[in-house]
Every structure is written in C-alpha cells, then in structure tokens.
Amino acid sequence: MEKKILFLDFDGVLFDTLKEVYLINRYIYKGIDLFDKVDEKNYQLYSKYKYLVYNIWMFYYYNPLIFNNCENIIDDFINALSKRNIKAEEDFCDNFLKVRANLVKNNYDFWKNLETPYKFFYEIKKLYEEKNPKILIVSKKNKTSIIERFNSYNFFISNDDIYAREILDKYSTKGEFINEYMNKNGFDEAIFVDDNNNNLKTCDNYSNITQILALWGNSQPNLKGYNQTQAIDKINQFFS
C-alpha cells in the first residue's frame, strides 16, 4: 500500500494573514502604530503584488516600493533582489519577528483577529479528525505563531509536523525539503498546496508530488490553479 502525505503552506492557504503582515511591515517601515486605521487603497496595492514575496526577508525590498506607491513595482522589485544586502535582510527578519512576538504577548486578542481561517482550513481539520492522514505544514512563518493559530482553533496537529522557517531556512527551496522528507520517511506520493507558484515550481522535477496552486490566497494573477472546493475534493480523493 502506498504511503501518502499532504504538505500545506500556511499563509494564504490555511489562513488569510495579509492584514497582520501589512500592519507589522507598515509599523517597521513607516512607524505607524499597529492599531491605526488601514489605508484601503495602499492595502489593496500591497495585496495585489504580495505574490512576489515568499520569504520574510523579501519584505525588506517590497515595503519601500509599496509604501511609497512606486509605479513599476515588479521591475523595481526584481532589480532590488539583484542587489541584495544579506545583513540588512537578517536584521529586518529579526525585527519583524520581534514585533510579531510582542504583539502576540501584549495584545493577543487583537493579533488573533488579524488572521482569519479560510473554509479550506476547516475542511482540512475535518479530514484530519476523520481520517488522520499524514499532514505536514511547510511555511516560512515562525513555528510558535503557527502552533498558536492551530491551537486557538482546536486543530491539534502534532508540533513535530510543523516545519516552519526555523527548519526551512536551512534548505534552498521547499521542494528540496519535501523531497528529502519523503525519501527519508518512505512516502511514495504527495500533494503540495501553496499560494505561491515559485514554491510549487521547486517540485517540478518530482513526478510523485502533485502541485495545487491555491487561487484563494495571494497567488500570481492569470495562473491556472484550484479554488477551495476543487482543492479539497482533490485531496479527499487522494486519501480515499
């Protein structure tokens, strides 16, 4: 019997996390209080191009373009990535995680309400409770935040099955990690769900990994993918 496994991204797949990320980055870049009203026009711009970012350090280059309402965001972002400042990226990541940790510690209820679960999250929770399939979370979010989210919605996935930035940063891509994990643990077939096609493409060379692009997240426009119903139907069939 084939061993099957499901790999799930977190941001934009299980939870709509954009507002939390927006407020933290706005605070870091512009010094605007986390509780201040959101500029809806700027927030829509932030959402429109969020697909460009799939690692926390990338916000270091993304934020100046969005908060300054630049006109050529895609080209300017690509150009910025060609001139990376690793030390500045590391300092940014440390600061981002510190701001988030302080927000969770000191204003938990406010933080909790910034992120909302998608219908897909509840369907995965139901699947897990009824069939107990092997599920791994593979996300560049920090692990404590993911655990806090799952626990607050009574989804008690094992902490050992959450592979967050603390682990994934040691790999060049999510695909590299997924392939290594499957080989080490004897899994024959997998589904990988992510809302960023850049992450999915790292599995192109692995024929035993089915890719699902989550169109309900911050996916790149005009790409072929799955809506929430189609994705959960595919996953249910996979484990039937």
Side-chain angles (χ1 to χ4, degrees):
M1 185 176 181
E2 286 188 326
K3 287 183 66 176
K4 298 182 178 182
I5 184 169
L6 174 64
F7 295 92
L8 299 172
D9 182 33
F10 185 88
D11 295 334
V13 171
L14 296 173
F15 279 78
D16 180 354
T17 62
L18 186 66
K19 191 170 185 180
E20 185 231 31
V21 168
Y22 176 83
L23 292 179
I24 292 174
N25 280 312
R26 187 185 67 171
Y27 171 78
I28 291 172
Y29 186 75
K30 301 193 72 173
I32 296 176
D33 194 284
L34 292 165
F35 308 102
D36 280 6
K37 185 178 179 180
V38 169
D39 179 335
E40 288 299 330
K41 186 176 181 180
N42 185 251
Y43 184 69
Q44 291 303 316
L45 184 67
Y46 206 90
S47 175
K48 182 178 179 179
Y49 294 100
K50 168 62 176 61
Y51 71 87
L52 294 169
V53 177
Y54 49 95
N55 279 299
I56 291 177
W57 60 264
M58 289 180 167
F59 285 117
Y60 175 75
Y61 305 103
Y62 187 69
N63 291 340
L65 304 178
I66 298 297
F67 291 122
N68 290 316
N69 296 301
C70 293
E71 294 183 0
N72 301 308
I73 289 174
I74 296 176
D75 290 341
D76 289 347
F77 184 74
I78 293 172
N79 183 56
L81 291 185
S82 71
K83 305 171 184 177
R84 290 180 60 183
N85 183 331
I86 304 300
K87 178 62 169 59
E89 292 170 12
E90 292 173 347
D91 290 344
F92 173 84
C93 287
D94 289 342
N95 191 23
F96 183 98
L97 295 173
K98 180 180 178 181
V99 172
R100 173 184 278 161
N102 287 337
L103 183 61
V104 174
K105 179 180 178 180
N106 299 317
N107 300 96
Y108 178 81
D109 288 339
F110 176 78
W111 173 78
K112 181 181 177 181
N113 290 325
L114 290 178
E115 299 185 347
T116 54
Y118 290 109
K119 175 185 176 183
F120 182 78
F121 170 83
Y122 292 110
E123 293 293 338
I124 291 295
K125 182 174 183 286
K126 179 182 177 182
L127 173 67
Y128 188 77
E129 292 170 348
E130 291 180 352
K131 296 185 178 180
N132 194 32
K134 185 64 174 179
I135 297 175
L136 251 64
I137 308 302
V138 285
S139 168
K140 288 300 186 80
K141 200 180 190 77
N142 52 308
K143 186 170 182 174
T144 54
S145 294
I146 297 174
I147 293 171
E148 188 68 45
R149 281 289 178 224
F150 271 80
N151 289 346
S152 67
Y153 286 89
N154 298 313
F155 191 162
F156 300 114
I157 191 171
S158 170
N159 292 351
D160 292 336
D161 290 334
I162 298 174
Y163 287 81
R165 68 180 303 272
E166 295 87 345
I167 296 296
L168 294 184
D169 277 352
K170 300 173 184 177
Y171 292 84
S172 60
T173 66
K174 286 188 178 182
E176 179 189 358
F177 166 78
I178 289 171
N179 183 59
E180 179 182 291
Y181 185 92
M182 291 178 67
N183 289 336
K184 283 186 175 180
N185 294 279
F187 286 96
D188 303 297
E189 196 174 354
I191 287 181
F192 173 31
V193 186
D194 204 300
D195 68 325
N196 194 295
N197 198 48
N198 291 295
N199 290 324
L200 293 172
K201 287 194 297 184
T202 64
C203 295
D204 281 351
N205 293 327
Y206 310 124
S207 60
N208 59 339
I209 301 174
T210 298
Q211 304 170 24
I212 290 182
L213 177 62
L215 295 180
W216 60 92
N218 296 113
S219 59
Q220 183 176 346
N222 303 319
L223 291 181
K224 185 178 180 180
Y226 293 71
N227 63 34
Q228 294 183 70
T229 299
Q230 291 169 333
I232 199 65
D233 285 348
K234 182 80 172 180
I235 291 167
N236 279 324
Q237 291 171 13
F238 181 70
F239 286 113
S240 63

